[in-house]
Amino acid sequence: PQKPSVRGVILFLCCADDDELRDLHYSLRRLHTFFTSRFRYPVIILHDRLEFSQQNSLQASFQPSSLSFLKIKWDMPEEMSPHDRAAVPPKLLLAGHSWSIGYRHMSRFFCKGLFELPEIVDHYDYYWRLDADSFLLTPIEKD
């Protein structure tokens, strides 16, 4: 295995439901088989509610590659007034789609919140964001 020449990390955000958790298990196995078994980047699972037993199960899916967990908290922006917070609809209809508050939290997090986490910005220069349903299909030969 090759040690990466850059300070990079692979990030997942999980888990909204049991289906997403199942997908993440499969995605981690594929990632190890086709990439991290060769290129030893750390992988961090960002989550808001994974139980310890679920973390252990994910860890077992990814052996022997390095996997860690970072709990994050979904919040409305601090600068929002209580009145504005109360006015945020649980679902937002836009461009023919209904966007849940969870999806909007995730979008905001990857545009802003991620870059405020010292656990990420103080240790890594690059990140590769994968979704729980990102499945590598063939080996990645070059880093």
Side-chain angles (χ1 to χ4, degrees), residues 72 105 107-118 120-121:
I72 59 173
H105 277 309
S107 297
R108 183 174 185 274
F109 175 78
F110 278 112
C111 291
K112 182 179 185 295
L114 175 67
F115 304 101
E116 297 172 342
L117 292 175
I120 303 298
V121 298

Side-chain angles (χ1 to χ4, degrees), residues 125-137:
D125 297 319
Y126 301 94
Y127 74 93
W128 180 14
R129 177 189 165 216
L130 294 172
D131 289 329
D133 61 354
S134 297
F135 308 130
L136 297 182
L137 302 176

Side-chain angles (χ1 to χ4, degrees), residues 56-98:
N56 283 339
S57 179
L58 288 165
Q59 190 80 40
S61 290
F62 202 53
Q63 293 296 332
S65 293
S66 170
L67 182 65
S68 58
F69 300 87
L70 180 59
K71 188 167 186 168
I72 59 173
K73 187 172 180 178
W74 297 129
D75 280 326
M76 294 289 183
E78 289 180 16
E79 60 272 11
M80 285 183 75
S81 71
H83 177 267
D84 288 342
R85 288 174 187 235
V88 173
K91 298 274 185 184
L92 178 65
L93 186 60
L94 184 64
H97 297 282
S98 179

Side-chain angles (χ1 to χ4, degrees), residues 3 6 9 13 17 36 39-41 45 48 50 55 58 61 64 69-70 77 88 106 109 113:
K3 185 172 173 37
V6 297
V9 64
L13 178 65
D17 56 35
T36 59
F39 303 105
R40 297 290 187 176
Y41 284 96
I45 307 295
D48 66 334
L50 278 178
Q55 292 178 33
L58 288 165
S61 290
F69 300 87
L70 180 59
V88 173
M106 183 268 311
F109 175 78

